[in-house]
Amino acid sequence: MGDGRHPAAELAIETRGLTKRFGHQTAVNSIDLAVPRGSVFGFLGPNGSGKTTTIRVALGLAAATSGQVSVLGQEMPRRLKDVLPHVGALVEGPGFYPFLSGAANLHRLDSADRYAPSATRRARVREALDRVGLGHAAGKKVGAYSLGMKQRLGLANALLMPRELLVLDEPTNGLDPLGTREVRNLVRSLAAEGTTVFVSSHLLAEVEQMCTHVAVMSVGRLVAQGTLDDLRRAGEARVRVRTPDIAGALRVLAALGLVPEQTEPPGRAGDDDGVVSAPLAPGSTAPEAIVAALVAGDVRVRAFSVDRASLEDRFVALTGEGFDIAQ
Amino acid sequence: MPSDPLVRAGNLPCARPAVGWDLFASELAVLFRRRRTWAMLLALAAVPVLIAVAVRLSSSPPEPGRGPPFLDRVTQNGLFVGITALVVCIPLFLPLTVGVVAGDTIAGEANLGTLRYLLVVPAGRVRLLLVKFAGAAAFCLAATLTVVVSGALIGAALFPVGPVTLLSGDTISVGESILRSLLVAGYVTVSLLGLSAIGLFISTLTVVPVGAMAATIVLSVVAQVLGALPQLEWLHPWLFSHYWLDFADLLRQPIAWTSFGDNALLQAGYAAVFGALAYGRFVTKDILS
Ligand SMILES: Nc1ncnc2c1ncn2[C@@H]1O[C@H](COP(=O)(O)OP(=O)(O)OP(=O)(O)O)[C@@H](O)[C@H]1O
Ligand SMILES: [Mg+2]
């Protein structure tokens, strides 16, 4: 794994030229997704970029306009009946009967599963509820659940049976900080048991903490995919120099072949320091050489750092700055 | 590692799928745990009570030929209350409740968001349709039985009960008359299956359950209006409401089964056609709710 090329059976989800159109609008535009088995795969993208649509097609809820999907090495939707029992899913928020209790809702969904033994149903429902921290609210009507409680119940539903693949569409939506952390731990422990977790999320910090692989969607296209480190490495690092000698720093850095700019004017932090920064291509000037050049050029260096691109920087670079929904 | 991941996945607790009656049981549980279902059954149970109390309180006994059929017999024998109430409920009340349940089948699940979760379980689209139709049929049975049983109880409480004189003039025992009442309930249940199938089909077309319910109910009214127009005589045998009130044959001695058979055939035809339409629509439908 991690070498970028995987035999089909090693991929938990694979799409080839997957396209989904709604009328004239292309929600998913010819994407080739490769989710390695055993990975925790973060699926990112701005609102309306086609994440949920991709998930719906992969789970056989919607038909692809063109292209192929296979899940756990089996073609979908042809092998849907054989594949889906191994897949737990949370798709675009939870959906439950408000007039039934949390436990009764899980009973209902579990009894729809022909592979789920009825003998152990009660125990499995209880265990799943406990696992998401809903043990005490099991008998409460779902109509009286809070948003986060419903979300947790949706997760419990995905955990009713041992799964090989979990597809979680924004699992931490509406969860409190402790709930978010619990979900992160849950995902980690499931991954440790060998379950592949495919998780779409908007919380980049969270993805950074729990995912091994990442893919980024933008306006229906897959604009990046790979291991988390690959993706971050692809983004440029930046050198940051904190100094009162702005002009000097700009001159020295430019002389080194960098393209510096002043990113913070002097005096903002209450002293006379400003910040000059410049993108640093991998393999170009060594950071220690930059510091030496600055000192030699009589620049008073008060702080110096080389920041690796954060996932957020990378995300913004890939999907664009605009706040407006693209289509 | 064996190449087929699904073979390797020996971690499934049972390798062979169960037949899956659990889903039907769970469908019934969901249907009959809803307050709405009980409200409708209660309203249906109130109809014979209203009739019986009204007849009991009125000073003069009902005249033959006025009011609903069998009303004049109620004072002589309480066992007729249930039958009279069924006749009253068939044109509107029963189709109304059946329209609500059948129209809700798929659209209701879609609206709650439970449909996508049932399908990724996977419940199977065809299996889900069959279970939903069976659930609607179970409601039809529960609804008609509610009217008949409530009628028998209130009739026995307010009027004399004894051997029943049939339409053919023969007299049957109380026990036999209860059997006949159940037979009529069965007839009415079968009568409503065509409408249930129509509701199921309409329910696959929308994610707004109220729309599907209203459309189903409107269709049942339209069918009866068309059935009342003599100019459309040629159409009448094809209307699903054509035999709705023809259960009098079951109250003769010996029982004439022809209308029961004709009705069953017609309803089976409707169930087949609209079941096929629902199948055609639902199996390929994108579930985007
Ligand atoms: N039922 C539908 N009919 C028409 N267009 C749709 C439908 N569902 C989604 N779309 C369109 O498809 C595009 C992708 O939507 P999708 O729900 O996949 O986005 P997403 O990435 O999941 O967004 P979010 O982060 O907000 O959940 C959007 O432009 C949306 O308008
Ligand atoms: Mg989404």
Side-chain angles (χ1 to χ4, degrees):
Chain A
M1 269 196 280
D3 57 2
R5 302 207 130 267
H6 310 276
E10 289 302 316
L11 291 177
I13 303 176
E14 185 187 17
T15 73
R16 286 166 305 259
L18 177 65
T19 299
K20 177 71 186 174
R21 274 190 212 104
F22 294 111
H24 292 298
Q25 189 190 347
T26 307
V28 175
N29 194 349
S30 189
I31 69 169
D32 298 300
L33 198 62
V35 180
R37 273 182 184 260
S39 63
V40 177
F41 196 101
F43 196 38
L44 309 178
N47 291 132
S49 57
K51 302 181 298 293
T52 302
T53 306
T54 306
I55 289 175
R56 281 182 195 278
V57 174
L59 294 175
L61 288 172
T65 306
S66 64
Q68 287 103 46
V69 186
S70 46
V71 175
L72 299 174
Q74 307 291 314
E75 193 187 316
M76 288 288 276
R78 203 168 55 80
R79 300 291 305 276
L80 182 146
K81 281 202 168 73
D82 305 315
V83 172
L84 288 187
H86 303 268
V87 181
L90 180 67
V91 189
E92 195 155 64
F96 292 107
Y97 307 92
F99 48 89
L100 293 182
S101 71
N105 265 291
L106 293 190
H107 271 268
R108 157 80 167 164
L109 288 168
D110 194 65
S111 58
D113 186 351
R114 294 167 67 192
Y115 291 91
S118 54
T120 58
R121 183 163 299 146
R122 190 169 294 276
R124 283 182 295 110
V125 166
R126 175 132 291 278
E127 198 183 321
L129 285 168
D130 285 341
R131 202 155 183 191
V132 298
L134 276 181
H136 294 298
K140 197 170 183 168
K141 293 248 192 306
V142 168
Y145 272 23
S146 70
L147 173 64
M149 288 163 83
K150 285 183 197 149
Q151 190 76 18
R152 286 169 189 242
L153 191 60
L155 280 170
N157 170 46
L159 301 175
L160 278 173
M161 292 278 285
R163 313 284 191 189
E164 288 192 39
L165 170 65
L166 280 178
V167 177
L168 306 175
D169 193 4
E170 299 183 35
T172 52
N173 186 16
L175 290 191
D176 54 33
L178 277 180
T180 311
R181 201 172 62 174
E182 279 310 308
V183 167
R184 222 159 40 221
N185 292 339
L186 190 66
V187 166
R188 282 208 196 97
S189 71
L190 288 165
E193 291 164 23
T195 307
T196 310
V197 184
F198 181 80
V199 49
S200 93
S201 179
H202 291 296
L203 303 178
L204 299 173
E206 188 182 292
V207 168
E208 236 169 343
Q209 286 181 56
M210 73 184 176
C211 293
T212 58
H213 292 66
V214 179
V216 181
M217 294 281 289
S218 176
V219 207
R221 291 191 171 275
L222 196 62
V223 289
Q225 141 165 266
T227 66
L228 185 61
D229 289 335
D230 283 346
L231 200 72
R232 276 194 298 208
R233 210 173 298 133
E236 53 196 6
R238 286 186 86 84
V239 291
R240 278 165 50 89
V241 184
R242 177 170 283 278
T243 173
D245 307 318
I246 301 292
L250 287 172
R251 181 175 36 79
V252 171
L253 290 178
L256 286 171
L258 300 175
V259 188
E261 57 181 340
Q262 175 184 315
T263 46
E264 205 177 291
R268 186 182 289 177
D271 46 28
D272 54 356
D273 291 354
V275 174
V276 170
S277 69
L280 183 64
S284 65
T285 326
E288 59 272 21
I290 299 175
V291 181
L294 285 167
V295 173
D298 282 338
V299 175
R300 287 169 286 170
V301 177
R302 299 239 163 103
F304 179 88
S305 63
V306 179
D307 298 332
R308 263 216 314 181
S310 70
L311 192 56
E312 183 170 335
D313 295 335
R314 195 65 195 120
F315 182 82
V316 171
L318 285 167
T319 60
E321 288 273 4
F323 169 70
D324 289 342
I325 301 293
Q327 60 173 12
Chain B
M1 190 194 297
S3 60
D4 184 349
L6 296 176
V7 172
R8 193 196 60 193
N11 54 4
L12 276 187
C14 58
R16 204 178 287 264
V19 184
W21 285 104
D22 286 9
L23 182 58
F24 180 57
S26 133
E27 180 63 31
L28 292 183
V30 170
L31 181 60
F32 288 103
R33 255 193 253 179
R34 280 193 97 146
R35 218 175 289 167
R36 185 180 73 197
T37 309
W38 287 102
M40 292 193 298
L41 292 180
L42 255 167
L44 285 170
V47 172
V49 175
L50 276 178
I51 292 174
V53 171
V55 170
R56 182 70 214 233
L57 292 182
S58 73
S59 45
S60 55
E63 292 166 34
R66 290 193 55 210
F70 309 111
L71 188 62
D72 53 310
R73 294 169 185 251
V74 164
T75 45
Q76 297 145 35
N77 200 325
L79 291 175
F80 273 102
V81 174
I83 305 290
T84 311
L86 264 188
V87 174
V88 170
C89 288
I90 282 174
L92 189 61
F93 264 28
L94 279 171
L96 203 83
T97 56
V98 170
V100 167
V101 170
D104 196 44
T105 45
I106 301 294
E109 301 274 359
N111 183 49
L112 289 176
T114 43
L115 183 57
R116 62 176 182 270
Y117 286 105
L118 284 171
L119 292 183
V120 299
V121 160
R125 297 193 183 205
V126 179
R127 181 161 158 254
L128 191 61
L129 276 182
L130 289 173
V131 163
K132 283 291 177 184
F133 183 70
F139 177 81
C140 294
L141 182 63
T144 45
L145 279 181
T146 301
V147 176
V148 168
V149 170
S150 155
L153 293 179
I154 190 75
L158 296 185
F159 301 103
V161 169
V164 173
T165 310
L166 290 174
L167 301 178
S168 54
D170 301 85
T171 303
I172 56 171
S173 67
V174 172
E176 166 97 30
S177 77
I178 289 176
L179 269 182
R180 294 287 178 108
S181 297
L182 293 179
L183 207 56
V184 171
Y187 181 96
V188 177
T189 303
V190 171
S191 292
L192 294 169
L193 293 183
L195 182 62
S196 302
I198 293 173
L200 180 70
F201 168 59
I202 296 176
S203 196
T204 61
L205 300 178
T206 171
V207 294
V208 186
V210 182
M213 295 174 192
T216 311
I217 294 162
V218 165
L219 275 183
S220 81
V221 173
V222 167
Q224 292 178 82
V225 169
L226 295 180
L229 295 177
Q231 289 80 359
L232 296 176
E233 195 105 41
W234 55 272
L235 182 67
H236 292 174
W238 301 99
L239 293 172
F240 58 86
S241 56
H242 185 58
Y243 299 103
W244 275 8
L245 289 166
D246 290 355
F247 55 75
D249 286 355
L250 299 176
L251 300 177
R252 294 180 209 284
Q253 192 77 302
I255 297 177
W257 288 100
T258 40
S259 57
F260 192 101
D262 290 347
N263 183 33
L265 197 65
L266 180 70
Q267 301 300 332
Y270 266 92
V273 169
F274 283 91
L277 286 174
Y279 169 85
R281 172 72 188 129
F282 189 56
V283 166
T284 55
K285 188 183 184 187
D286 279 357
I287 307 301
L288 301 170
S289 56

